[in-house]
Amino acid sequence: MSDSAPQLLRHHRPFLAFWLARVFTASGFQMLTVAIGWHLYQLTGNVLDLGLVGLVEFAPRVLFMLHTGHVADRYDRRKVAALCQTLQALIALALALGSVSDNVSRELIFILAFLLGATRSFEMPATQALLPNVVPPGLFPRAVAASASATQSATIVAPAVGGFLYAFGSTWVYGPTVALYLIACLLTLSLDARQQLPQRGRANLESLLAGVRFIRSRPDIFGAISLDLFAVLLGGATALLPVFAKDILLTGAWGLGLLRSAPAVGALLMSLWLARFPVERKVGLIMFASVGVFGVATIAFGLSTSFWFSLAVLVVLGAADMISMVIRGAFVQLETPDEMRGRVSAVNGLFIGASNQLGEFESGLTAHWFGTVPAVVLGGVGTLLVTGVWMKLFPTLTHRDRMHNG
């Protein structure tokens, strides 16, 4: 890549619109997540409910996994993503209206969390498959990192804003998310329709399972996304942050917002670095090393009783996670034909969802059984064990030198 590549990416208008749309939709989701978690914990005071929300949000990824990829490959990806963003705006509106009338219940939160998970399960593969159509192939690895920086930028600011606004009432959080999602929708629709040529056709079992078979036939791709599944599934402690904020670190909603933002600070800094200096050699070893650092940081966070040390550790955790995410995301897309990117992204989205939402359920369940701190520490240890096992199971991934072998 020439030194002018980053400047070319910054001045690429379709990518700028795509990037801004990611900022707004990610901001809306992060603010919703903070508000829903705090709102639910205020209603029930039950740590298991925090894990159940993650499980409920994850369930649609399993139920609709094969169909979400088919939709992304057969219909205009811009319109699919924009429709999902509009539906998420309606979910936020329902929560806002429920808060005004004081009719938000535990059951309503679970229902809306399921609907939120359903819309995101269709949005993710459509958005991921759209990015290669927005930028030239030569800029794609940098675009992956830059796109990730959009999400992380939102994750830094939005949770802190959400926690601050929640101090004035939940409606102050739910209301602005409606506008954020609608702006994202307009930006997505502004992308040039010629960037996507939908391949319409009737869904059949062979078509729906094509993404699964493709991933299974590529050991490096299968190893990378399954590593993310099990490592983050065990090591994720996001669902327990309300407990750490309130009962261990002794902060309020503002502290929860900062804790949720901290991993994104590290991730944003790392994504900006990778957008300027992408990983080009020894990508396999670097990815495994970053997952190992993620596990160590998880253990350190679980043992910490200092709010500021916890923030610092979460910054390191986010930076490590960003390295593995960019490497995985870039070579999965680069080695996948465009006509299959939606289906492959849907399967990849299932793994990502499992590592996040299902990981939240695992964290809530183990915290219910063993206690919050032991649950997080055991999860970090599990991440380190998975990293070592995967290095043995997938030797070609471990010794992979470059992002794209084609």
Side-chain angles (χ1 to χ4, degrees), residues 328-389:
R328 181 182 68 254
F331 80 71
V332 167
Q333 293 287 351
L334 286 172
E335 296 196 352
T336 303
D338 183 63
E339 65 272 11
M340 289 187 61
R341 282 191 176 123
R343 283 163 287 178
V344 170
S345 295
V347 179
N348 189 30
L350 175 65
F351 280 76
I352 293 172
S355 63
N356 292 317
Q357 279 76 49
L358 195 57
E360 291 180 4
F361 174 69
E362 179 272 337
S363 296
L365 187 62
T366 54
H368 181 70
W369 286 344
F370 308 115
T372 302
V373 171
V376 174
V377 173
L378 288 174
V381 172
T383 297
L384 294 177
L385 292 176
V386 166
T387 302
V389 171

Side-chain angles (χ1 to χ4, degrees), residues 41-166:
Y41 196 53
Q42 280 186 324
L43 284 174
T44 70
N46 189 347
V47 66
L48 183 59
D49 282 342
L50 297 175
L52 289 174
V53 167
L55 181 62
V56 169
E57 188 179 331
F58 170 72
R61 293 184 185 273
V62 178
L63 294 175
F64 306 127
M65 177 193 72
L66 298 176
H67 296 283
T68 58
H70 181 84
V71 168
D73 282 337
R74 295 296 185 263
Y75 298 93
D76 189 327
R77 292 165 182 164
R78 299 173 312 121
K79 294 179 180 178
V80 172
L83 176 60
C84 292
Q85 289 155 2
T86 301
L87 293 174
Q88 289 172 76
L90 293 176
I91 292 170
L93 180 61
L95 285 165
L97 294 176
S99 296
V100 170
S101 59
D102 197 24
N103 285 322
V104 176
S105 64
R106 174 179 181 270
E107 291 72 23
L108 178 63
I109 288 178
F110 283 143
I111 291 171
L112 294 179
F114 179 87
L115 295 176
L116 181 63
T119 57
R120 284 175 57 80
S121 69
F122 280 90
E123 181 190 15
M124 180 177 291
T127 301
Q128 290 182 344
L130 180 62
L131 180 56
N133 302 131
V134 173
V135 298
L139 291 177
F140 185 69
R142 297 180 188 268
V144 172
S147 178
S149 75
T151 303
Q152 300 308 323
S153 298
T155 309
I156 291 172
V157 178
V161 172
F164 174 77
L165 291 177
Y166 199 96

